[in-house]
Amino acid sequence: MTIYARGYRPYAGEFNHTNFTWTVFRDGFGTAIRSRGYRILLIFVLLIYAIVLAMFYFALNITEMARGTSTQEFDFARKSAEVAAQTMTGFLGFANMFAIIVALLNGAGLIADDIRTRGLALFLVRPIRPIEYALGKAMILPALFVPILLLPGLLMYLTAGGLQPDGTATQWLADNWKFPASVIGLYVAGSAGYTGVMLALSSFVHRRGWVRIGGVAILFVGGMIVTGLWFVMRDSAGAAIRYLAISGNAEASLTPLVQEYMPGQGVPGFELPDPWIGLA
């Protein structure tokens, strides 16, 4: 009888002080960033971001020119914040969709591959705690989302601050703290939601293809169904149902920007501006 037929016994000895979380994360993250799919998506997102940033810079310069030619009182700080909010929410709504695609491509095999190849058993016969394995796997997708959801928004915020008149950049950055707060909120909510879905599916379904089908059903199709139900119901029950859409919850982190700088984006029949930019 082979060792595969007998199976593996979990490690039952004493644990030392070594934490294997980083080891599990490093192995999975290294595999993900070497994948062709992730590299292609990342390059595409960064190219789009470069174009958006160039347009954003041009729009701020136009705003600066309008300030110089205006005969009326012109609040450049406010106008530049409005331009930044419109540009940032538009790009991050787009980037959020690509983050879901990254989750589907790179998250499908997080645990499923280890189960299918008996890698999970090989991990757990070592002096490694299950929580260390789980945390290492849970850190992979958030790390992959950093250049997609986190860094572009923060860089756009710093760019807008750097284009303020001399001596006012620091004050503008302090006054518009909702920009980094919203970006970080989107990153945290998206990372938590997408990682949770993919880890759960990958644990129960041991084939990448089926995990991805389940992920599409929950993150894309489920989100559209929930959004449709909310538009039809338009009551307190519908408002509660809308928060079942994971991608919508992530984009809801942009609500402070919408409320502060884009009041015209409100949805009739609801007391708050719509936080689901790009979904509604």
Side-chain angles (χ1 to χ4, degrees):
M1 180 181 294
T2 65
I3 190 172
Y4 294 101
R6 293 197 303 267
Y8 296 90
R9 292 183 179 181
Y11 180 80
E14 294 183 0
F15 291 95
N16 55 31
H17 297 290
T18 302
N19 192 307
F20 287 93
T21 299
W22 174 254
T23 303
V24 176
F25 164 75
R26 182 179 58 192
D27 177 70
F29 181 72
T31 301
I33 61 175
R34 287 192 297 269
S35 67
R36 181 178 300 178
Y38 177 72
R39 291 182 178 182
I40 292 175
L41 282 175
L42 182 60
I43 291 173
F44 184 74
V45 171
L46 293 181
L47 285 175
I48 296 297
Y49 176 69
I51 296 173
V52 170
L53 191 62
M55 296 174 61
F56 173 61
Y57 180 81
F58 178 76
L60 286 184
N61 280 315
I62 293 296
T63 305
E64 174 68 19
M65 293 171 59
R67 182 185 67 159
T69 59
S70 177
T71 58
Q72 301 177 350
E73 183 178 355
F74 190 89
D75 189 350
F76 177 72
R78 175 68 185 184
K79 291 296 183 181
S80 60
E82 292 175 355
V83 172
Q86 293 171 0
T87 306
M88 186 178 294
T89 52
F91 173 78
L92 290 178
F94 160 83
N96 187 42
M97 294 297 101
F98 272 85
I100 296 177
I101 296 175
V102 169
L104 294 173
L105 291 178
N106 298 102
L110 285 177
I111 298 177
D113 285 353
D114 287 346
I115 295 176
R116 183 172 52 84
T117 62
R118 294 182 179 267
L120 179 59
L122 290 175
F123 264 117
L124 297 182
V125 296
R126 302 173 182 177
I128 176 175
R129 296 176 176 86
I131 187 62
E132 295 172 355
Y133 175 83
L135 287 176
K137 291 293 184 178
M139 291 165 54
I140 295 172
L141 287 181
L144 296 177
F145 294 154
V146 167
I148 298 176
L149 292 179
L150 184 61
L151 293 183
L154 295 180
L155 181 58
M156 194 175 296
Y157 164 69
L158 295 175
T159 300
L163 293 176
Q164 299 302 308
D166 294 341
T168 63
T170 303
Q171 186 62 44
W172 188 92
L173 292 174
D175 291 341
N176 295 279
W177 58 269
K178 290 182 179 180
F179 281 92
S182 298
V183 172
I184 294 173
L186 172 65
Y187 169 74
V188 172
S191 296
Y194 307 149
T195 299
V197 169
M198 299 312 295
L199 281 178
L201 291 174
S202 189
S203 299
F204 291 101
V205 184
H206 305 163
R207 294 290 178 180
R208 278 176 174 252
W210 289 109
V211 174
R212 287 168 180 159
I213 291 174
V216 169
I218 294 174
L219 298 176
F220 279 115
V221 180
M224 290 188 290
I225 292 175
V226 169
T227 304
L229 288 175
W230 174 73
F231 273 110
V232 171
M233 298 175 69
R234 292 298 183 90
D235 55 15
S236 57
I241 289 176
R242 74 186 308 206
Y243 292 105
L244 295 176
I246 296 173
S247 60
N249 286 332
E251 291 197 36
S253 303
L254 302 176
T255 300
L257 295 184
V258 178
Q259 291 178 312
E260 181 71 23
Y261 305 107
M262 302 163 62
Q265 293 289 331
V267 173
F270 198 73
E271 65 272 17
L272 294 177
D274 183 25
W276 291 4
I277 304 165
L279 293 183

